[in-house]
């Protein structure tokens, strides 16, 4: 099966459990099992090529320019981990089916589990480091969901948060490290990176890259000093702990160290950092584990310790160390997953995981007893079980490792670690299963059904099998080791066997086991000593750090970001002015390339009106109605300015938009207070004046400077002028740019406009449906209302004007391509014509005569524009390529037909729809606010002569 | 002439900023509108200011003003209408919902959120 399918299957499969949830728990688990099984079989189909030593590749270029490609690779190492992930995954799914209670949402659980599984498989099969990072972060996220699966437990939520924080931060660090590696090598493909050992190790950035990557690995694999999150993650349901925290996720860091081993290992830095961290973790984890009373906490710290062991082995940088590491990964995954599942069984049956409340379970739960004993003895390193073999190899390797110039340090610490490891294994067996049968278990313990004990029992098969006949596993271990080593080191000649002769490792092993038994004998005084020793509590420290970071961030942000919009505006303005000032003073200022032009008296008067209106707005802004009128003057002056400076299209647009905006503001002002009260202090106003003057001066300086100089680079305008007629078939260059040269931009812009209108519509709907709508119903107008809301003169006038306006709009639209005009302006003009009908005859009357809803008009506009663009695909041209031709239908003059005109129809429709929908939404608010509705076009209609006509003469309340 | 245009931009900006710094929604919206004028005019002038040479091609004329900024500003004007309408709607909705048209978050009152229970 293609590697893509193996990775994709869990992700797509993650959709199924949620769907199957209603079909029952077995169906839900069954479908999850099937998905994983399919991926597992797919993986196995690749086994022959892996065994033959080939590297299976699958590649799809995604963003080659960024080096981000979807490249997958399957070699021995990847196969090994994928086998663990999918194989143990199968057992976990079967186990979880039995473990989860009826109250747990099973579909949700399996969805998360499959997401996690897919992300893990993605990590181990990625050939591209960027892709690997994506999957890496996905495991952090999905494990967060899994750890916090029991959302009602605070411990679960805190544990999930802590795991996400620690592994997420590590992931961020690792991104940095991987990017450095990619920069050094010039490729983000792992297969390329792995070939460049010398290049990477010689680079000055090797050390930062190493530290960053190791941060990612150490946080993920819970290495000291980041080991503290793993025990807290044990608040997760046991299947999660068994899966994530024994077999898979915590091994991701180990996997990456193994993957990167050929290029990163072998240097002093690698050796010192990795070996030391591993060694400390191994000893510390083992010591803490011995004194834990919660079964899962004990197992969690034992996992920490074993991960440290593997890390240390990888750190030594020798081929033998790597082989021992691979072998121990395999062994640890088998016995630890079995132990976790058994702990879950005990918890499930006895309703407690506290070792102090257990004991004597040997006769009550014989099957579980057998499983736990074999797994724990293997972990303790008892011969004929697989844990013994790899532990022996570890001690052998430790014996040859000289750290900090001391030949004793590593062997002694390794022996101490093994000693405590043996001790907690013995404690686990004796304190839980031996001793007298008690009568105060929270529930009567008994062996569970086969569905629950079979998965861990299956894992015991390799525990014993490999332990008795290690040569069976040897070819596979060597295959994986060869993949780890790459071409950086030669394959060790050593074989996996039980009896190596009377080597030092054997004596160390004996010391460890005997010492472990002795430690168990003096457990009680040792526990008292342990409990009497003060030691830092990682969770408290972690929370203090998080708290401190949050406080620091608040200290930094709150003064600037206190929820006051005005403050942001002021800070923003001042910052921009200073940035501009800095650029101004440090940049080079060219000489003016234009001489100032002569002043025209018309311009001066226009300028005077503009300035007067603007300044008037500042002083009179408290009178809101007046300031609207002044704004109208400003807009008008700007329009006239556009006319004056050869921009007829702009002038028409500005003018029509001005009309529509003022109407809109008036509609809003209908509800808002009429006056703005004086609230700010004089000081505050002075500050604002200062900020405003600074901003004004800055923009004045910039504008004046800019207007007299040529731009730095040549403008592309000449192209448009030269090609407008030849290429676009129009003489109005502005319009040709809009509908042809930059048609795609315009297309985007009408979509933005349409979204804005739909947003306004949606807001209105929300307001009307909510409490505001009810409030509006009872609203009393806060000022006198006009007696005749729809006066006859206005109705008659606007009715007569309507066809004229339509005609003007039509003309402006058609002439747009060659003369000033076009879809935007025509749309605005037609909108104003329609708005006049609303104003004159009222909302209800106009709406009743409306054939198409404005949403439809907007949609039609965008569709017409889009389809026009797509049309060019049919003649194998890019999107929105335009074409035009000239036709002559007698007796008319020759005229032009252009696809751009069709596009302009789309623009026209969108503008009409958007403007009308916005205004209509505002008036719907007004309509709700208790104004009388009339179905007649005018309030007083002499031809009607009914009482209703007269009654509405009374002011419309 | 350039001085007049640049000073108009400056005055529009200053007035716009001052109004944006006010405490109620309506003047802030007016201020944003003034800033919009300023920005549009500034963009427009980036194509030089020319009198009497509109970018409409004629047979016997060879000098035209720069059409590109005009096309940009044209769509900017229409879009700014859409944005103004959205902002006005948000401001209006906030006022109708809370009878308060301040733009700043008010400091939380002790009885905040217990509306209707006291």
């Amino acid at each position: 099966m293609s590697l893509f399918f193996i990775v994709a299957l869990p992700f797509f499969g993650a959709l199924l459990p949620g769907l199957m949830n209603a079909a029952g728990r077995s169906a839900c688990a069954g479908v999850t099992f099937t998905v994983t099984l399919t991926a597992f079989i797919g993986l196995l189909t690749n086994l022959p090529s892996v065994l033959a030593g080939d590297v299976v590749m699958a590649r799809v270029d995604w963003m080659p320019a960024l080096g981000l490609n979807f490249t997958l690779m399957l070699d021995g190492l990847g196969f090994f981990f994928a086998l663990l992930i999918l194989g143990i995954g199968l057992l976990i799914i079967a186990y979880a089916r039995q473990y989860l209670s009826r109250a747990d949402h099973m579909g949700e659980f399996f969805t998360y589990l499959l997401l996690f599984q897919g992300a893990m498989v993605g990590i181990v099969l990625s050939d591209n480091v960027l892709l690997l990072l994506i999957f890496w972060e996905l495991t952090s996220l999905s494990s967060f969901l899994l750890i916090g699966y029991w959302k009602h437990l605070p411990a679960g939520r805190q544990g999930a948060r802590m795991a996400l924080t620690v592994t997420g931060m590590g992931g961020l660090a690792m991104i940095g490290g991987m990017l450095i590696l990619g920069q050094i090598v010039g490729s983000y493909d792992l297969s390329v990176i792995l070939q460049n050992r010398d290049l990477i190790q010689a680079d000055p950035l090797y050390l930062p890259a190493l530290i960053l990557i190791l941060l990612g690995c150490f946080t993920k694999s819970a290495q000291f000093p980041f080991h503290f999150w793993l025990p807290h993650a044990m608040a997760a349901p046991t299947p999660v702990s068994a899966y994530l925290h024994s077999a898979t996720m915590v091994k991701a860091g180990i996997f990456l160290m193994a993957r990167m081993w050929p290029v990163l290992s072998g240097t002093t830095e690698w050796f010192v950092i990795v070996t030391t961290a591993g060694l400390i973790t191994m000893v510390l984890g083992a010591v803490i584990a011995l004194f834990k009373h919660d079964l899962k906490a004990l197992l969690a710290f034992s996992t920490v310790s074993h991960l440290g062991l593997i890390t240390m082995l990888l750190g030594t940088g020798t081929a033998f160390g790597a082989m021992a590491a691979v072998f121990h990964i395999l062994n640890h995954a088998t016995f630890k997953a079995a132990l976790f599942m058994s702990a879950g069984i005990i918890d499930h049956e006895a309703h407690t995981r506290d070792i102090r409340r257990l004991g004597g379970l040997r006769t009550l739960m014989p099957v579980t007893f057998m499983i736990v004993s074999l797994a724990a003895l293997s972990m303790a390193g008892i011969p004929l079980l697989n844990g013994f073999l790899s532990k022996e190899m570890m001690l052998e390797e430790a014996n040859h490792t000289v750290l900090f110039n001391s030949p004793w340090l590593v062997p002694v610490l390794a022996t101490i670690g093994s000693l405590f490891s043996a001790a907690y294994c013995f404690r686990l067996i004796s304190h839980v299963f031996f001793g007298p049968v008690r009568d105060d278990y929270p529930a009567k313990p008994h062996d569970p059904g086969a569905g629950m004990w079979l998965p861990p029992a299956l894992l015991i098969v390799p525990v014993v099998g490999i332990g008795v006949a290690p040569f069976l596993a040897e070819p596979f271990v060597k295959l994986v080791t060869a993949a780890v080593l790459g071409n950086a080191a030669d394959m060790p000649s050593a074989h996996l066997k039980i009896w190596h002769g009377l080597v030092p490792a054997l004596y160390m092993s004996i010391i460890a086991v005997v010492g472990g038994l002795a430690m168990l004998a003096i457990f009680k005084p040792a526990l008292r000593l342990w409990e009497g020793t003060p030691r830092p509590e990682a969770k408290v420290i972690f929370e203090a750090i998080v708290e401190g970071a949050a406080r620091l961030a608040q200290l930094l942000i709150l003064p600037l970001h206190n929820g006051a919009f005005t403050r942001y505006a002021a800070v923003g303005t001042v910052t921009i002015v200073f940035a501009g000032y800095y650029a101004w003073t440090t940049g080079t200022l060219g000489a003016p390339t234009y001489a100032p032009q002569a002043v025209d008296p018309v311009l001066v008067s226009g300028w005077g009106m503009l300035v007067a209106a603007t300044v008037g707005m500042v002083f009179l802004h408290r009178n809101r109605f007046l300031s609207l009128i002044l704004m109208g003057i400003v807009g008008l002056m700007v329009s006239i300015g556009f006319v004056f400076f050869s921009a007829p299209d702009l002038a028409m647009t500005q003018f029509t938009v001005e009309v529509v905006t003022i109407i809109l503001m008036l509609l809003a002002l209908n509800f808002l207070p009429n006056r703005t009260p004086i609230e700010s202090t004089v000081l505050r106003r002075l500050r604002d004046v200062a900020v405003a003057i600074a901003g004004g001066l800055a923009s004045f300086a910039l504008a004046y400077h800019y207007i007299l100089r040529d731009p730095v680079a040549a403008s592309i305008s000449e192209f448009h002028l030269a090609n407008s007629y030849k290429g676009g078939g129009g003489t109005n260059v502005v319009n040709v740019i809009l509908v042809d040269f930059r048609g795609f931009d315009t297309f985007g812009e009408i979509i933005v406009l349409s979204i804005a209108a739909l947003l306004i519509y949606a807001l209105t709907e929300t307001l009307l449906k909510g409490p505001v709508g009810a409030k509006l119903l009872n609203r009393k107008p806060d000022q006198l209302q006009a007696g005749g809301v729809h006066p006859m003169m206005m109705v008659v006038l606007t009715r007569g004007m309507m066809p004229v306006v339509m005609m003007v709009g039509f003309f402006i639209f058609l002439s747009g391509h060659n003369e000033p005009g076009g879809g935007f302006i025509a749309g605005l003009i037609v909108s104003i014509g329609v708005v006049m009908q609303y104003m004159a005859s009222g909302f209800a009357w106009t709406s009743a005569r409306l054939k198409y809803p404005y949403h439809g008009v907007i949609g039609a506009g965008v569709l017409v524009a889009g389809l026009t663009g797509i049309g060019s695909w049919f003649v194998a041209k890019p999107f929105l390529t335009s074409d035009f031709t000239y036709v002559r239908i007698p007796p008319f003059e020759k005229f032009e037909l252009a696809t751009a005109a069709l596009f302009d129809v789309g623009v026209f429709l969108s503008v009409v729809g958007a403007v009308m929908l916005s205004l209509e939404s505002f008036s719907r608010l007004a309509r709700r606010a208790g104004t009388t509705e009339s179905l007649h076009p005018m309030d007083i209609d002499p031809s009607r002569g009914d009482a209703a006509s007269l009654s509405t003469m009374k002011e419309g309340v | 002439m350039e001085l007049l245009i640049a000073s108009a931009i400056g005055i529009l900006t200053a007035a716009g900023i001052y109004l944006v710094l006010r405490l109620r929604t309506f003047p802030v919206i007016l201020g944003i509108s003034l800033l919009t004028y300023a920005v549009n005019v500034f963009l427009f002038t980036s194509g030089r200011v020319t009198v009497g040479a509109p970018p409409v091609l004629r047979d016997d004329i060879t000098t035209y003003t720069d059409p590109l900024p005009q096309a940009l500003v044209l769509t900017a004007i229409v879009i700014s209408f859409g944005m103004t309408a959205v902002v006005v709607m948000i401001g209006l909705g906030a006022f109708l919902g809370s009878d308060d048209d301040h733009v700043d978050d008010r400091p939380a009152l002790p009885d905040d959120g217990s509306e209707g229970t006291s």
Side-chain angles (χ1 to χ4, degrees):
Chain A
M1 191 189 283
S2 161
L3 299 183
F4 289 125
F5 282 112
I6 301 175
V7 174
L9 256 173
F11 284 113
F12 287 115
L15 298 170
L16 295 175
L19 294 175
M20 297 298 287
N21 198 48
R25 292 150 55 81
S26 293
C28 194
V31 74
T32 316
F33 192 84
T34 313
V35 168
T36 311
L37 188 67
T38 316
F40 186 70
I41 294 171
L43 181 73
L44 288 183
T45 57
N46 286 302
L47 182 61
S49 12
V50 174
L51 283 180
D54 294 341
V55 176
V56 186
M57 302 281 287
R59 180 186 185 93
V60 173
D61 280 352
W62 182 11
M63 285 187 258
L66 291 178
L68 181 53
N69 299 315
F70 207 99
T71 325
L72 299 175
M73 162 178 90
L74 183 72
D75 63 350
L77 182 65
F79 183 84
F80 173 48
F81 271 88
L83 194 74
L84 285 180
I85 294 158
L86 293 172
I88 295 184
L90 283 173
L91 299 178
I92 296 288
I93 292 164
Y95 175 82
R97 159 70 187 86
Q98 305 295 327
Y99 180 86
L100 291 180
S101 74
R102 292 202 172 272
D104 297 322
H105 193 290
M106 198 172 253
E108 191 184 338
F109 180 82
F110 281 128
T111 299
Y112 296 161
L113 196 77
L114 280 178
L115 279 179
F116 171 78
Q117 193 179 61
M120 272 314 292
V121 174
I123 288 184
V124 299
L125 295 189
S126 293
D127 181 40
N128 186 293
V129 287
L130 300 176
L131 188 65
L132 188 147
L133 289 169
I134 293 172
F135 285 123
W136 186 274
E137 295 296 323
L138 274 179
T139 60
S140 292
L141 288 176
S142 51
S143 75
F144 170 76
L145 293 172
L146 280 170
I147 296 169
Y149 172 68
W150 280 330
K151 298 180 190 72
H152 54 279
L153 297 182
R157 298 197 299 268
Q158 288 159 7
R161 215 159 45 220
M162 191 190 276
L164 183 69
T165 313
V166 176
T167 58
M169 299 253 284
L172 286 179
M174 202 172 77
I175 291 175
M178 288 295 191
L179 290 179
I180 295 178
L181 270 196
Q183 286 296 317
I184 294 175
V185 177
S187 164
Y188 289 106
D189 284 345
L190 256 179
S191 37
V192 180
I193 292 176
L194 291 183
Q195 302 299 321
N196 285 292
R197 178 189 170 98
D198 297 332
L199 184 68
I200 290 170
Q201 298 200 349
D203 199 278
L205 285 176
Y206 165 73
L207 187 61
L210 177 73
I211 291 173
L212 288 172
I213 292 175
L214 285 181
L215 268 177
C217 296
F218 284 2
T219 47
K220 201 78 158 181
S221 284
Q223 295 300 297
F224 178 82
F226 308 108
H227 60 286
F228 57 89
W229 69 264
L230 185 57
H232 289 287
M234 290 296 142
T238 302
V240 175
S241 314
Y243 194 35
L244 272 65
H245 306 131
S246 73
T248 52
M249 191 177 87
V250 290
K251 296 260 168 67
I254 303 277
F255 165 80
L256 203 70
M257 283 190 264
R259 180 97 278 177
M260 290 296 176
W261 196 88
V263 287
L264 294 182
S265 77
T267 58
T268 325
E269 294 94 333
W270 166 277
F271 173 64
V272 170
I273 300 174
V274 179
T275 311
T276 314
L279 209 56
I280 296 175
T281 314
M282 176 169 96
V283 177
L284 198 70
V287 173
I288 299 175
L290 178 61
F291 299 108
K292 283 287 168 189
H293 302 303
D294 179 3
L295 268 181
K296 274 173 82 179
L298 187 153
L299 290 176
F301 277 106
S302 118
T303 304
V304 168
S305 162
H306 279 267
L307 292 170
L309 188 159
I310 299 169
T311 305
M312 184 204 82
L313 284 173
L314 287 170
T316 59
T318 66
F320 184 78
M323 184 163 87
V326 168
F327 194 31
H328 197 69
I329 292 170
L330 173 66
N331 296 337
H332 179 251
T334 53
F335 63 66
K336 188 51 69 62
L339 279 173
F340 264 115
M341 287 196 254
S342 307
I345 290 176
I346 293 169
D347 188 19
H348 202 258
E349 304 303 335
H351 289 199
T352 180
R353 299 193 308 246
D354 193 331
I355 298 179
R356 289 167 300 184
R357 301 185 63 189
L358 294 165
L361 293 184
R362 178 172 37 104
T363 48
L364 295 170
M365 305 174 77
V367 178
T368 316
F369 167 60
M370 280 304 294
I371 296 170
V372 172
S373 303
L374 285 171
L377 288 176
S378 173
M379 182 154 76
I382 301 299
L384 295 183
L385 295 168
N386 61 357
F388 168 74
L389 300 164
S390 42
K391 184 160 278 186
E392 201 76 335
M393 286 167 81
M394 179 275 286
L395 291 171
E396 175 71 24
E397 175 70 13
N399 231 352
H400 299 293
T401 306
V402 180
L403 185 63
F404 301 126
N405 294 324
S406 157
W408 292 104
L409 188 65
V410 181
V412 167
L413 282 176
T415 314
I416 293 176
S418 305
L419 189 151
F420 275 94
S421 178
Y424 65 67
C425 293
F426 295 144
R427 176 175 180 231
L428 176 63
I429 300 171
S430 71
H431 286 193
V432 175
F433 291 99
F434 287 89
V437 175
R438 301 163 65 145
D439 49 9
D440 60 343
Y441 302 117
K444 182 88 185 114
H446 59 87
D447 268 325
M452 235 172 148
W453 65 253
L454 211 53
L458 281 175
L459 284 170
I460 296 300
V461 175
V463 169
V464 180
I466 296 173
V468 174
F471 53 87
L472 287 178
E474 183 170 319
F476 187 66
V477 170
K478 291 222 161 163
L479 179 79
V480 178
T481 312
V484 173
L485 298 179
N487 40 20
D490 290 331
M491 194 63 200
S493 57
H495 294 287
L496 309 181
K497 49 187 180 184
I498 301 171
W499 181 250
H500 287 275
L502 294 172
V503 287
L506 184 67
Y507 296 121
M508 288 156 79
S509 213
I510 292 171
I511 294 173
V513 171
V514 174
L517 283 172
M519 187 58 90
L520 186 64
I522 58 160
F523 179 71
K524 274 194 178 142
L527 181 66
R528 269 200 298 280
L529 182 69
W530 172 259
E531 278 171 353
T533 329
R535 54 186 177 276
E537 177 62 51
K539 192 179 176 189
V540 177
I541 299 173
F542 172 79
E543 270 161 12
I545 291 175
V546 171
E547 186 76 6
R551 208 165 301 144
L552 192 71
Q554 281 169 350
L555 210 68
L556 212 64
I557 289 167
L558 280 189
L560 296 174
H561 195 122
N562 63 346
F565 172 81
T566 47
R567 180 171 291 195
Y568 308 160
V571 170
T573 309
V574 172
T575 312
I576 293 170
V577 168
F578 270 107
Y581 180 77
Y582 176 77
W584 187 278
T585 47
T586 54
T588 44
L589 196 64
T593 48
Y594 296 95
Q597 299 172 42
V599 176
D600 193 294
V602 180
L603 188 68
V604 177
S605 56
W607 181 87
M609 274 192 266
L610 178 83
V611 171
T614 312
V615 174
M617 254 174 98
V618 170
F619 285 103
L620 300 172
H621 78 269
R622 300 194 185 285
N623 184 339
R624 294 182 169 183
F625 186 67
L626 193 58
S627 56
L628 261 191
I629 295 174
L630 288 172
M631 198 179 89
I633 296 177
V634 174
L636 198 65
M637 285 305 119
V638 171
S639 315
I640 290 174
F642 285 142
V643 175
F644 191 82
F645 293 114
S646 335
D649 291 273
L650 282 193
M652 284 199 270
T653 316
Q654 182 72 64
F655 187 74
T656 42
V657 163
E658 205 50 50
V659 174
V660 184
T661 310
I662 297 288
I663 293 174
L664 180 116
M665 299 276 233
L666 281 173
L667 281 171
L669 202 54
N670 187 17
F671 296 100
L672 292 169
N674 270 335
R675 293 194 59 83
T676 308
I678 299 176
E679 283 176 314
S680 38
T681 57
V682 177
L683 209 63
R684 162 88 193 235
R685 270 176 276 162
L686 278 178
R687 182 204 80 173
D688 292 347
V689 167
V691 171
I693 287 179
L697 279 177
S699 58
F700 162 72
L702 179 66
Y704 188 65
H705 165 77
Y706 191 54
I707 211 167
L708 287 177
R709 284 164 179 83
D710 269 329
V712 181
S715 163
I716 55 170
S717 306
E718 286 308 316
F719 168 85
H720 296 117
L721 284 169
N723 287 287
S724 173
Y725 188 69
K726 277 187 289 177
T731 52
N732 180 5
V733 188
V734 174
N735 183 266
V736 176
I737 291 176
L738 282 176
V739 297
D740 195 334
F741 293 129
R742 312 293 304 172
F744 204 18
D745 287 355
T746 310
F747 186 52
E749 274 159 294
I750 59 173
I751 289 177
V752 171
L753 188 67
S754 308
I755 291 174
L758 290 177
L759 179 62
I760 292 169
Y761 177 75
L763 280 171
T764 315
E765 280 295 298
T766 322
L767 284 178
L768 286 180
K769 290 218 176 87
V772 172
K775 222 180 201 171
L776 280 178
L777 273 179
N778 301 318
R779 187 173 180 274
K780 296 267 179 293
D782 54 1
Q783 52 210 314
L784 281 178
Q785 303 284 293
V789 183
H790 306 302
M792 181 168 56
M793 284 302 283
M794 188 160 169
V795 175
V796 172
L797 261 178
T798 53
R799 203 74 64 77
M801 272 167 75
M802 185 71 183
V804 180
V805 173
M806 289 295 163
M807 199 58 220
V808 170
F810 190 62
F811 173 78
I812 292 273
F813 176 81
L814 280 186
S815 67
H817 216 42
N818 293 313
E819 300 292 328
F824 274 114
I825 302 164
L828 287 162
I829 290 177
V830 169
S831 304
I832 293 174
V834 180
V835 168
M836 286 195 310
Q837 301 305 312
Y838 275 102
M839 286 162 68
S841 301
F843 189 92
W845 184 86
T846 317
S847 298
R849 276 146 192 82
L850 193 71
K851 270 202 187 128
Y852 309 102
Y854 294 123
H855 324 72
V857 178
I858 293 180
V862 174
L863 269 183
V864 166
L867 288 176
T868 309
I870 289 173
S872 43
W873 287 348
F874 290 104
V875 289
K877 291 278 175 55
F879 188 65
L880 273 174
T881 310
S882 69
D883 198 9
F884 62 93
T885 183
Y886 295 93
V887 282
R888 181 164 189 277
I889 307 171
F892 299 108
E893 289 279 316
K894 188 177 83 164
F895 62 94
E896 184 195 358
L897 278 180
T899 58
L902 203 57
F903 180 77
D904 222 9
V905 170
V907 173
F908 167 80
L909 288 175
S910 314
V911 171
V912 172
V915 172
M916 290 316 299
L917 188 63
S918 316
L919 293 178
E920 191 210 16
S921 300
F922 277 94
S923 29
R924 269 163 21 113
L925 283 179
R927 203 175 159 220
R928 173 64 70 93
T931 39
T932 340
E933 280 307 331
S934 167
L935 286 175
H936 302 293
M938 44 194 122
D939 295 327
I940 305 164
D941 186 349
S943 66
R944 212 159 69 228
D946 54 0
S949 161
L950 297 172
S951 72
T952 43
M953 282 176 71
K954 291 187 286 178
E955 43 125 50
V957 175
Chain B
M1 193 162 76
E2 280 78 3
L3 195 67
L4 287 183
I5 298 170
S7 60
I9 293 173
I11 291 167
L12 280 172
T13 312
I17 292 174
Y18 181 77
L19 288 180
V20 161
L21 293 177
R22 295 305 87 212
L23 293 171
R24 302 290 184 128
T25 50
F26 198 78
V28 169
I29 293 168
L30 291 181
I32 293 174
S33 298
L34 286 184
L35 284 177
T36 308
Y37 291 130
V39 170
N40 283 343
V41 173
F42 175 74
L43 278 182
F44 171 70
T45 56
S46 70
R48 300 283 87 68
V49 282
T50 322
V51 182
V56 179
L57 303 179
R58 290 284 179 273
D59 284 338
D60 45 350
I61 300 176
T62 51
T63 51
Y64 301 101
T65 188
D66 192 343
L68 200 57
Q70 295 196 14
L72 296 179
V73 172
L74 198 151
T75 48
I77 294 172
V78 179
I79 295 256
S80 65
F81 162 74
M83 291 307 125
T84 309
V86 171
V87 174
V88 170
M89 190 38 135
I90 293 173
L92 186 58
F95 174 71
L96 290 177
S98 62
D99 278 329
D100 178 18
D101 63 343
H102 282 93
V103 288
D104 291 352
D105 281 353
R106 316 244 74 195
L109 299 167
D111 60 345
D112 207 40
S114 58
E115 199 178 289
T117 54
S118 56

